[in-house]
Amino acid sequence: MKRRTFSAALASSLAAPALIGLSPGTARAQSSNKPATIRIGFPGAGTGGRPLPTSGFTANVVFRGDLEQEFAADGIKIEWKYYVGAGPALNEAYANGLLDFCFGHGDLPLIVGRSTGLKHKILLSSGRGGDVYFIVPAASGAKSIADLQGKTLSVQKGTAGQLTLYRFLEKSGFKEPEKQFRIISQIRDDRIAALSTGDVHGAIETPFGLEARGVARRLAEVYDDPFINRPGTLWVGEAFEQRHPDLVQRIVNRVVKTAHWSTQEANRETQYQYWTRSGVNTYIDNKRVWDRTKDLRTRHNPLLDEYYTASIQRSIDEIKGYRLSRRDVSLDGWIEPKYLNNALREQKLETYWPTQDANGKFIRT
């Protein structure tokens, strides 16, 4: 047996503890060939490793208890797992047989995992869009990204945030980020601490709460750029999907229902409050970041449209270009849209969400 690494051990320590003994409902689930537990991972955790998601309609599934309600009568437990090591740690957990689903993988770890042989099926987009902010310590004298050449930037390497940083720097004129800056890898809590002491000179982070505390200030920002901020992905492990397609459909049905709930203007403030529980962003952070999104359908969007598939392909090409992986990855046989299509049809939502073309332009609103 392979020795578990620190990240896997840390990930396991954040997961909900297993129950000792079997309830009658669990026994029924086992006897009917259903799993006793469905294990769902998030590539991240709250402040200090708090086992909660941060934002988006997949986070709302957790806070509303939707899947627990869905499977209560079946005696199937929902086990949520949160990984401080983010996407790479989630890949490791899946490789070790510890997960059945992921509710929000970013493009870099998703693609790298696939390139190393991880078998999963893409079910839907876990969200898209939003703004990107580049911050520096509050006392920094930098007036532009160019002033930071040769300085230390922080990002959690191996995560979608790494590609987002590279794209942001490239948009600012820096095509070889690792040669033009000193880029170190830190989890978010460490990055914020390093910014506050001036040991890190720049990073991509939500700025508002940090500005209010005098920790950092915004140096640059990009609004709703479809090439910088790419869609997230919700996937299921191939083995689970083959054994339990009926359960996969029920999960997708519920997630789509929650995505629809999340787009309703009447539920906007409730979500802002939900998302404070992880400690990553304050209510003011959530409000300022999301109030610019007038139509919540554009971000709480589960579609596997042309924009989604083109974004994944662009990310595959970028990863090779940045030499973050040398292995080829194909979209063929990876995306499985039937569960989403069934859910949209059943809930009469086939034309509800706006679709985007390959370049991110809305073609149906």
Side-chain angles (χ1 to χ4, degrees):
M1 180 177 290
K2 295 174 63 176
R3 183 179 177 182
R4 292 203 309 170
T5 66
F6 172 75
S7 61
L10 179 59
S12 297
S13 71
L14 293 175
L19 297 179
I20 299 175
L22 297 178
S23 67
T26 301
R28 286 196 301 273
Q30 289 184 334
S31 64
S32 61
N33 200 34
K34 294 179 181 178
T37 303
I38 299 175
R39 305 161 303 170
I40 305 173
F42 276 91
T47 300
R50 190 180 304 180
L52 288 170
T54 54
S55 64
F57 67 84
T58 54
N60 293 341
V61 172
V62 178
F63 294 126
R64 284 162 44 90
D66 290 324
L67 295 187
E68 287 81 357
Q69 296 170 30
E70 174 68 28
F71 292 105
D74 301 90
I76 298 174
K77 304 292 184 183
I78 303 298
E79 184 176 342
W80 301 102
K81 294 170 176 278
Y82 301 90
Y83 297 92
V84 172
L90 190 144
N91 279 344
E92 185 179 335
Y94 179 58
N96 286 326
L98 301 176
L99 286 175
D100 304 307
F101 289 82
C102 170
F103 265 37
H105 227 173
D107 52 1
L108 176 55
L110 173 76
I111 293 163
V112 169
R114 183 74 171 182
S115 76
T116 61
L118 298 186
K119 302 296 185 183
H120 34 50
K121 292 285 188 179
I122 292 172
L123 297 174
L124 52 89
S125 169
S126 61
R128 62 183 64 181
D131 307 328
V132 178
Y133 304 91
F134 190 96
I135 65 172
V136 294
S140 172
K143 296 181 180 179
S144 70
I145 301 293
D147 294 332
L148 299 177
Q149 286 189 79
K151 301 290 187 179
T152 302
L153 309 184
S154 174
V155 70
Q156 193 166 354
K157 290 189 175 183
T159 70
Q162 184 175 3
L163 275 184
T164 301
L165 174 63
Y166 286 6
R167 293 181 196 121
F168 194 97
L169 294 174
E170 184 165 342
K171 188 178 180 71
S172 302
F174 301 97
K175 298 184 182 298
E176 298 182 290
E178 291 286 352
K179 294 181 180 179
Q180 294 163 299
F181 303 89
R182 178 175 177 257
I183 300 178
I184 64 172
S185 184
Q186 292 179 306
I187 64 171
R188 183 181 184 274
D189 288 353
D190 292 343
R191 179 161 52 255
I192 299 305
L195 282 163
S196 68
T197 60
D199 293 318
V200 161
H201 303 104
I204 287 177
E205 284 291 340
T206 304
F208 306 108
L210 299 176
E211 289 175 331
R213 288 156 44 201
V215 171
R217 64 177 177 85
R218 272 170 284 180
L219 183 67
E221 51 203 345
V222 174
Y223 297 118
D224 283 325
D225 187 318
F227 292 98
I228 291 181
N229 211 344
R230 305 283 173 81
T233 295
L234 189 155
W235 56 254
V236 62
E238 280 192 5
F240 187 96
E241 190 254 345
Q242 290 168 3
R243 288 195 302 268
H244 308 293
D246 57 326
L247 302 186
V248 175
Q249 187 65 66
R250 288 172 63 183
I251 287 174
V252 172
N253 290 348
R254 273 286 185 158
V255 171
V256 168
K257 185 175 182 179
T258 303
H260 179 258
W261 177 91
S262 302
T263 65
Q264 304 303 303
E265 188 61 32
N267 300 323
R268 184 186 288 265
E269 291 291 322
T270 300
Q271 296 172 72
Y272 294 171
Q273 295 290 349
Y274 280 159
W275 302 338
T276 64
R277 297 179 186 177
S278 72
V280 171
N281 290 327
T282 65
Y283 170 81
I284 295 299
D285 287 332
N286 294 327
K287 186 171 179 61
R288 288 183 177 175
V289 168
W290 282 79
D291 272 2
R292 288 191 69 257
T293 303
K294 300 307 180 184
D295 184 351
L296 289 169
R297 296 178 306 153
T298 62
R299 294 189 64 183
H300 290 311
N301 189 330
L303 298 185
L304 298 171
D305 56 4
E306 187 179 351
Y307 171 63
Y308 175 87
T309 55
S311 293
I312 294 295
Q313 186 58 59
R314 276 194 289 268
S315 296
I316 291 170
D317 297 338
E318 288 170 342
I319 288 168
K320 292 191 72 175
Y322 287 126
R323 293 185 287 276
L324 299 175
S325 175
R326 297 180 180 179
R327 299 174 179 173
D328 291 325
V329 173
S330 173
L331 292 177
D332 293 342
W334 192 10
I335 298 176
E336 178 47 87
K338 68 180 180 182
Y339 299 102
L340 175 61
N341 291 340
N342 289 341
L344 294 173
R345 183 170 53 253
E346 179 181 314
Q347 297 174 44
K348 296 180 171 56
L349 296 172
E350 298 103 313
T351 61
Y352 177 75
W353 274 280
T355 59
Q356 294 168 270
D357 67 15
N359 293 318
K361 180 181 179 181
F362 286 101
I363 56 179
R364 187 186 75 214
T365 59

